[in-house]
Amino acid sequence: MALSDHVNLETFMEGVRKRNPGQTEFIQAVQEVAQDIYDFISDKVEYHEAQILRRITEPDRIVSFRVCWEDDNHNIRVQRGWRVHNNNAIGPYKGGIRFHPSVTESVLKFLAFEQTFKNSLTGLPMGGAKGGANFNPRGKSDSEVMRFCQSFMTELYRHIGPDTDVPAGDIGVGGREIGYMFGQYKRITNRWEGVLTGKALEYGGSQMRPEATGYGAVYFLRNMLEHRGEDIEGKSAVISGSGNVATHAAEKITQLGGKVITLSDSDGFVHDPDGIGQEKIDWVKHLKTVKRGRISEYVDEFKSATYHEGKRPWGVETDLALPCATQNELNEDEAKKLVENGCAAVSEGANMPTTLEGVKVFHEAKILYGPGKAANAGGVAVSGLEMSQNSERITWDEERLGDMLTNLMRGIHEKCTRYGDTGDGYVDYVKGANIAGFKKVADAMLAFGVV
Ligand code: NDP
Ligand code: 2IT
């Protein structure tokens, strides 16, 4: 087949839109990848003939199921759960579980798609998946969360396994939820095996896993800055979110001599010009994981700060920005504001936090921009190392895992620069990540023939 017989990008995207009606997040994620891949494969006929891009954008399977549970007032509640198996060409399916009222099939499909490229970039043998439910953990008691997690796992356990699919945490799923789900899996199957990552240290968890995503996003930021002969020391940083990724990103920025000035949640953000140092970060971690409170409470405790209800932090003047909350939380206008205010680098702890239009602004301004699939890959990378430790029935120490994380992030940065160099010294990290992530998966798929 001649190259001219293959559909062009616009026709390809038209097909994606037609096959996935209303799935805006999924279409957005595909659009961002397809642009770069089309350029890369323009002279590589084998990828066209094997329809690799078409196949990668069609999940291997999606399981959707009912999750019934009883609340503390004995009302029966019904949620919808999913697991999206996007691609297992290079390893068992791997990716987090999200519990949030905004979870839809489209959101999980976009996350599983992104995860496929991210996991490939780590260099570890992991395929791409994502799961979750439209369950809102906010305001729920521990027993309610436990009953929900048990009910969720009572269906999910059929679709996962240490060599099949290994879920982990994401928004709304942290140590507590992983504990409840692991306990239920073990109870149903009578098997102790590394079926989930993000476990506590007492039952097979890995050192550095809680820190890995946030620390990794800061290492990626440091790698980007170093590539330009700069560093983090003395720079201000605006961070969104106040969960696992945001608090650990804040911690690492602080350790490297930067000054974090904002954190947020879905209700608003706090601005602390004095800096959110380690003591304050510890207070926020306790607020979020033990008290399960709101970030607005920060200003009652720390008088130097102001709270901005219903607002996002991107208007605050800063050198560095780290979106660490959720998808599409940074739009075109906010990107312009950051650039206008002199922001030099953006590193994404969250998945697809910047809209396509926002990304364009960063690229046009030629500021450093590390997309989530590269910058936040440290979390899943250490999950991969947790899997290795579980298989070997061994535990590695913190120092070794810390070094491995630093090296993994450096390796991802190198891959991005290899494929993302635009020729004039500027690195398009989106392009670099997309191509490097795609190539490994695509070559594996070619080897399998038509499956
Ligand atoms: P957490 O549940 O620990 O924290 C999520 C944070 O984001 C909270 O502050 C939450 O605020 C805020 N948030 C959630 N939804 C929204 C929303 N719709 N609008 C505004 N703020 C929101 O999750 P994580 O820290 O684990 O995850 C944060 C991001 O990082 C996600 O995009 C996730 O996919 C990504 N990620 C996580 C990894 C991990 O290892 N945990 C790995 C790689 C990426 P509120 O309390 O109000 O909901
Ligand atoms: O988005 C992600 O990479 C995660 N939520 C972590 C996935 C994992 O399997 O550790």
Coordinates of all heavy atoms in Angstrom, one line a residue, residues 255-313:
Q255 N 13.1 21.2 49.5 CA 14.4 20.6 49.8 C 15.5 21.1 48.8 O 16.6 21.2 49.2 CB 14.3 19.1 49.7 CG 13.6 18.4 50.8 CD 13.3 16.9 50.6 OE1 13.8 16.3 49.6 NE2 12.5 16.3 51.4
L256 N 15.0 21.4 47.6 CA 16.0 21.9 46.6 C 16.2 23.4 46.6 O 16.8 24.0 45.7 CB 15.6 21.4 45.2 CG 15.6 19.9 45.0 CD1 15.2 19.5 43.7 CD2 17.0 19.3 45.3
G257 N 15.6 24.1 47.7 CA 15.9 25.5 47.8 C 14.9 26.4 47.1 O 15.1 27.6 47.0
G258 N 13.8 25.8 46.6 CA 12.8 26.7 46.0 C 11.8 27.1 47.1 O 11.8 26.6 48.2
K259 N 10.8 28.0 46.7 CA 9.8 28.5 47.6 C 8.4 28.2 47.0 O 8.0 28.9 46.1 CB 10.1 29.9 47.9 CG 9.1 30.6 48.9 CD 9.7 31.9 49.3 CE 8.6 32.9 49.6 NZ 9.2 34.3 49.8
V260 N 7.7 27.3 47.7 CA 6.3 27.0 47.2 C 5.4 28.1 47.8 O 5.4 28.4 49.0 CB 5.9 25.6 47.7 CG1 4.4 25.3 47.4 CG2 6.8 24.6 47.1
I261 N 4.6 28.7 47.0 CA 3.7 29.8 47.5 C 2.2 29.5 47.4 O 1.4 30.3 47.9 CB 4.1 31.2 46.8 CG1 4.1 31.0 45.3 CG2 5.4 31.7 47.4 CD1 4.4 32.4 44.6
T262 N 1.8 28.4 46.7 CA 0.4 28.1 46.7 C 0.1 26.6 46.8 O 1.0 25.8 46.4 CB -0.3 28.6 45.4 OG1 0.1 27.8 44.3 CG2 -0.1 30.0 45.1
L263 N -1.0 26.3 47.3 CA -1.6 24.9 47.2 C -3.1 25.1 47.0 O -3.6 26.2 47.3 CB -1.3 24.1 48.4 CG 0.1 23.6 48.7 CD1 0.2 22.9 50.1 CD2 0.5 22.6 47.6
S264 N -3.8 24.1 46.5 CA -5.2 24.3 46.3 C -6.0 23.0 46.5 O -5.5 21.9 46.7 CB -5.5 24.8 44.9 OG -5.3 23.7 43.9
D265 N -7.4 23.1 46.5 CA -8.2 21.9 46.3 C -9.3 22.4 45.4 O -9.3 23.5 44.8 CB -8.7 21.3 47.6 CG -9.5 22.2 48.5 OD1 -10.1 23.1 48.0 OD2 -9.5 21.9 49.7
S266 N -10.4 21.5 45.2 CA -11.4 21.9 44.2 C -12.2 23.1 44.7 O -13.0 23.6 43.9 CB -12.3 20.6 43.9 OG -12.7 20.1 45.1
D267 N -12.1 23.6 45.9 CA -12.9 24.7 46.3 C -12.1 26.1 46.2 O -12.7 27.1 46.3 CB -13.3 24.5 47.8 CG -14.2 23.4 47.9 OD1 -15.0 23.0 47.0 OD2 -14.3 22.8 49.0
G268 N -10.8 26.0 46.1 CA -10.1 27.3 46.0 C -8.6 27.1 46.3 O -8.1 25.9 46.4
F269 N -7.8 28.2 46.4 CA -6.4 28.0 46.6 C -5.9 28.9 47.8 O -6.5 29.9 48.1 CB -5.5 28.2 45.4 CG -5.3 29.7 44.9 CD1 -4.2 30.4 45.4 CD2 -6.2 30.3 44.1 CE1 -4.0 31.7 44.9 CE2 -6.1 31.6 43.6 CZ -4.9 32.3 44.1
V270 N -4.8 28.5 48.4 CA -4.2 29.4 49.4 C -2.9 29.9 48.8 O -2.1 29.3 48.1 CB -3.9 28.6 50.7 CG1 -5.2 28.3 51.5 CG2 -3.1 27.4 50.5
H271 N -2.6 31.2 49.1 CA -1.4 31.9 48.7 C -0.7 32.3 50.0 O -1.2 33.1 50.8 CB -1.8 33.1 47.9 CG -0.6 33.9 47.4 ND1 -0.7 35.2 47.0 CD2 0.7 33.6 47.2 CE1 0.5 35.7 46.7 NE2 1.4 34.7 46.8
D272 N 0.5 31.8 50.1 CA 1.4 32.1 51.3 C 2.7 32.6 50.8 O 3.6 31.9 50.5 CB 1.6 30.8 52.1 CG 2.2 31.1 53.4 OD1 2.8 32.2 53.6 OD2 2.2 30.2 54.3
P273 N 2.8 34.0 50.7 CA 4.0 34.6 50.2 C 5.3 34.3 51.1 O 6.4 34.4 50.6 CB 3.7 36.1 50.2 CG 2.3 36.3 50.7 CD 1.8 35.0 51.2
D274 N 5.1 33.9 52.3 CA 6.2 33.5 53.2 C 6.8 32.2 52.8 O 7.8 31.8 53.3 CB 5.8 33.5 54.6 CG 5.6 34.9 55.2 OD1 5.9 35.8 54.5 OD2 5.3 35.0 56.4
G275 N 6.1 31.4 52.0 CA 6.5 30.1 51.6 C 5.9 29.0 52.4 O 5.6 29.1 53.6
I276 N 5.6 27.9 51.7 CA 5.0 26.7 52.4 C 6.1 25.7 52.6 O 6.4 24.9 51.7 CB 3.8 26.2 51.5 CG1 2.8 27.3 51.2 CG2 3.1 25.0 52.2 CD1 1.7 26.9 50.2
G277 N 6.8 25.9 53.7 CA 8.0 25.0 54.0 C 7.6 23.7 54.6 O 6.4 23.4 54.7
Q278 N 8.6 22.9 55.0 CA 8.3 21.5 55.4 C 7.3 21.4 56.6 O 6.4 20.6 56.5 CB 9.6 20.9 55.9 CG 9.5 19.4 56.1 CD 9.1 18.6 54.8 OE1 9.7 18.7 53.8 NE2 8.0 17.8 54.9
E279 N 7.4 22.3 57.6 CA 6.4 22.2 58.7 C 5.0 22.4 58.2 O 4.1 21.7 58.6 CB 6.8 23.3 59.7 CG 7.0 22.8 61.1 CD 7.5 23.9 62.0 OE1 6.6 24.6 62.5 OE2 8.7 24.0 62.1
K280 N 4.8 23.4 57.3 CA 3.5 23.7 56.8 C 3.0 22.5 55.9 O 1.8 22.2 55.9 CB 3.5 25.0 56.1 CG 3.7 26.2 57.0 CD 3.9 27.5 56.2 CE 4.1 28.7 57.0 NZ 4.4 29.9 56.3
I281 N 3.9 21.9 55.1 CA 3.6 20.8 54.3 C 3.1 19.6 55.1 O 2.1 19.0 54.8 CB 4.8 20.4 53.4 CG1 5.1 21.5 52.4 CG2 4.4 19.1 52.6 CD1 6.5 21.4 51.7
D282 N 3.8 19.4 56.2 CA 3.4 18.3 57.1 C 2.0 18.5 57.7 O 1.2 17.6 57.8 CB 4.5 18.1 58.3 CG 5.8 17.6 57.8 OD1 5.8 17.0 56.7 OD2 6.8 17.8 58.5
W283 N 1.8 19.8 58.0 CA 0.5 20.2 58.5 C -0.6 19.9 57.4 O -1.7 19.3 57.7 CB 0.4 21.6 58.9 CG -0.8 22.1 59.6 CD1 -1.1 22.0 60.9 CD2 -2.0 22.6 58.9 NE1 -2.4 22.5 61.1 CE2 -3.0 22.8 59.9 CE3 -2.3 22.9 57.6 CZ2 -4.2 23.3 59.6 CZ3 -3.6 23.4 57.3 CH2 -4.5 23.6 58.3
V284 N -0.3 20.2 56.2 CA -1.3 20.0 55.1 C -1.5 18.5 54.9 O -2.6 18.0 54.7 CB -0.8 20.7 53.8 CG1 -1.8 20.3 52.6 CG2 -0.8 22.2 53.9
K285 N -0.4 17.7 54.9 CA -0.5 16.3 54.8 C -1.5 15.7 55.8 O -2.3 14.8 55.5 CB 0.9 15.6 54.9 CG 1.8 15.7 53.7 CD 3.0 14.8 54.0 CE 4.0 14.9 52.9 NZ 5.3 14.3 53.2
H286 N -1.3 16.1 57.1 CA -2.1 15.6 58.1 C -3.6 16.1 57.9 O -4.5 15.3 58.1 CB -1.6 16.2 59.5 CG -2.3 15.6 60.7 ND1 -3.3 16.3 61.3 CD2 -2.1 14.4 61.3 CE1 -3.7 15.5 62.3 NE2 -3.0 14.4 62.3
L287 N -3.7 17.3 57.5 CA -5.1 17.9 57.2 C -5.8 17.0 56.2 O -7.0 16.7 56.3 CB -5.0 19.3 56.7 CG -6.3 20.0 56.2 CD1 -7.1 20.4 57.4 CD2 -6.0 21.1 55.2
K288 N -5.1 16.6 55.1 CA -5.7 15.9 54.0 C -5.9 14.4 54.2 O -6.9 13.8 53.8 CB -4.9 16.2 52.7 CG -5.1 17.6 52.2 CD -6.5 17.7 51.7 CE -6.9 19.1 51.2 NZ -8.2 19.2 50.6
T289 N -4.9 13.8 54.9 CA -4.9 12.3 55.0 C -5.5 11.8 56.3 O -6.0 10.7 56.4 CB -3.6 11.7 54.8 OG1 -2.7 12.2 55.7 CG2 -3.0 12.0 53.4
V290 N -5.4 12.6 57.4 CA -5.9 12.2 58.7 C -7.3 12.9 59.0 O -8.3 12.3 59.2 CB -4.9 12.4 59.8 CG1 -5.4 11.9 61.1 CG2 -3.6 11.7 59.4
K291 N -7.2 14.2 59.0 CA -8.4 15.0 59.3 C -9.4 15.0 58.2 O -10.6 15.3 58.3 CB -8.0 16.4 59.7 CG -7.6 16.6 61.1 CD -7.2 18.0 61.4 CE -8.4 18.9 61.4 NZ -8.1 20.4 61.5
R292 N -8.9 14.8 57.0 CA -9.7 14.9 55.7 C -10.4 16.2 55.6 O -11.6 16.3 55.3 CB -10.6 13.7 55.6 CG -9.8 12.4 55.7 CD -10.3 11.2 55.0 NE -9.4 10.1 55.1 CZ -8.5 9.7 54.2 NH1 -8.5 10.3 53.0 NH2 -7.7 8.7 54.4
G293 N -9.7 17.3 55.9 CA -10.2 18.6 55.9 C -10.0 19.3 54.5 O -9.7 18.7 53.5
R294 N -10.3 20.7 54.5 CA -10.2 21.5 53.3 C -9.0 22.4 53.4 O -8.6 22.9 54.5 CB -11.5 22.3 53.1 CG -12.8 21.4 53.2 CD -12.8 20.3 52.2 NE -12.7 20.8 50.8 CZ -12.3 20.0 49.8 NH1 -12.0 18.8 50.0 NH2 -12.2 20.5 48.6
I295 N -8.5 22.8 52.2 CA -7.3 23.6 52.2 C -7.6 25.0 52.8 O -6.7 25.7 53.3 CB -6.7 23.7 50.8 CG1 -5.2 24.2 50.8 CG2 -7.4 24.6 49.9 CD1 -4.2 23.2 51.5
S296 N -8.9 25.4 52.8 CA -9.2 26.8 53.3 C -8.8 26.9 54.8 O -8.6 28.0 55.3 CB -10.7 27.0 53.2 OG -11.4 25.9 53.8
E297 N -8.7 25.7 55.5 CA -8.4 25.7 56.9 C -6.9 26.2 57.1 O -6.6 26.6 58.2 CB -8.6 24.3 57.5 CG -10.0 23.9 57.5 CD -10.2 22.4 57.8 OE1 -9.6 21.9 58.8 OE2 -11.0 21.7 57.1
Y298 N -6.1 26.2 56.1 CA -4.7 26.6 56.2 C -4.6 28.0 56.7 O -3.7 28.3 57.5 CB -4.1 26.5 54.8 CG -2.6 26.8 54.7 CD1 -1.7 25.8 54.7 CD2 -2.2 28.1 54.5 CE1 -0.3 26.1 54.5 CE2 -0.8 28.4 54.4 CZ 0.1 27.4 54.4 OH 1.4 27.7 54.3
V299 N -5.5 28.9 56.2 CA -5.4 30.3 56.6 C -5.7 30.6 58.1 O -5.3 31.6 58.7 CB -6.2 31.3 55.7 CG1 -5.6 31.2 54.3 CG2 -7.7 31.0 55.7
D300 N -6.5 29.7 58.7 CA -6.7 29.8 60.2 C -5.4 29.5 60.9 O -5.2 30.0 62.0 CB -7.8 28.8 60.6 CG -9.1 29.1 59.8 OD1 -9.3 30.3 59.5 OD2 -9.9 28.1 59.6
E301 N -4.6 28.6 60.4 CA -3.4 28.1 61.1 C -2.2 29.0 60.8 O -1.4 29.3 61.6 CB -3.1 26.7 60.6 CG -2.0 26.0 61.3 CD -2.3 25.6 62.7 OE1 -3.5 25.6 63.1 OE2 -1.4 25.4 63.5
F302 N -2.1 29.5 59.5 CA -1.0 30.3 59.1 C -1.4 31.7 58.6 O -2.0 31.8 57.5 CB -0.2 29.5 58.0 CG 0.2 28.1 58.4 CD1 -0.4 27.0 57.9 CD2 1.2 28.0 59.4 CE1 0.0 25.7 58.3 CE2 1.6 26.7 59.8 CZ 1.0 25.6 59.3
K303 N -1.2 32.7 59.4 CA -1.8 34.0 59.2 C -1.1 34.7 58.0 O -1.7 35.7 57.5 CB -1.6 34.8 60.5 CG -2.3 34.2 61.7 CD -3.8 34.1 61.5 CE -4.5 33.4 62.7 NZ -5.8 32.8 62.3
S304 N 0.0 34.2 57.5 CA 0.7 34.9 56.4 C -0.1 34.7 55.1 O 0.2 35.3 54.1 CB 2.1 34.5 56.3 OG 2.2 33.0 56.3
A305 N -1.0 33.7 55.1 CA -1.7 33.3 53.9 C -3.1 33.9 53.7 O -3.7 34.3 54.6 CB -1.8 31.7 53.9
T306 N -3.5 33.9 52.4 CA -4.8 34.3 52.0 C -5.5 33.2 51.3 O -4.8 32.4 50.6 CB -4.8 35.5 51.1 OG1 -3.9 35.3 50.0 CG2 -4.4 36.8 51.9
Y307 N -6.8 33.1 51.4 CA -7.6 32.0 50.7 C -8.4 32.6 49.6 O -9.0 33.7 49.8 CB -8.5 31.3 51.7 CG -9.4 30.2 51.1 CD1 -8.8 29.1 50.5 CD2 -10.8 30.3 51.1 CE1 -9.6 28.2 49.9 CE2 -11.6 29.3 50.6 CZ -11.0 28.3 49.9 OH -11.8 27.3 49.3
H308 N -8.4 32.0 48.4 CA -9.1 32.5 47.3 C -10.2 31.5 46.8 O -9.9 30.6 46.1 CB -8.1 32.8 46.2 CG -7.0 33.8 46.7 ND1 -7.1 35.1 46.4 CD2 -5.9 33.6 47.4 CE1 -6.0 35.7 47.0 NE2 -5.3 34.8 47.6
E309 N -11.3 31.7 47.3 CA -12.4 30.8 47.1 C -12.8 30.7 45.6 O -12.9 31.7 45.0 CB -13.7 31.2 47.9 CG -14.9 30.4 47.6 CD -15.5 29.8 48.9 OE1 -15.4 30.4 50.0 OE2 -16.0 28.6 48.7
G310 N -13.0 29.5 45.1 CA -13.5 29.3 43.8 C -12.4 29.6 42.7 O -12.8 29.7 41.5
K311 N -11.2 29.9 43.1 CA -10.2 30.3 42.1 C -9.1 29.3 42.0 O -8.8 28.5 42.9 CB -9.6 31.7 42.6 CG -10.6 32.8 42.7 CD -10.2 33.9 41.7 CE -11.3 34.8 41.4 NZ -12.1 35.4 42.5
R312 N -8.4 29.4 40.9 CA -7.2 28.6 40.7 C -5.9 29.4 40.8 O -6.0 30.7 40.6 CB -7.3 27.9 39.3 CG -8.6 27.0 39.2 CD -8.5 26.1 38.1 NE -8.7 26.6 36.7 CZ -9.4 26.1 35.8 NH1 -10.1 24.9 36.0 NH2 -9.5 26.6 34.6
P313 N -4.8 28.9 41.1 CA -3.6 29.7 41.5 C -2.8 30.3 40.3 O -1.8 31.0 40.6 CB -2.8 28.7 42.3 CG -3.0 27.4 41.6 CD -4.5 27.4 41.2

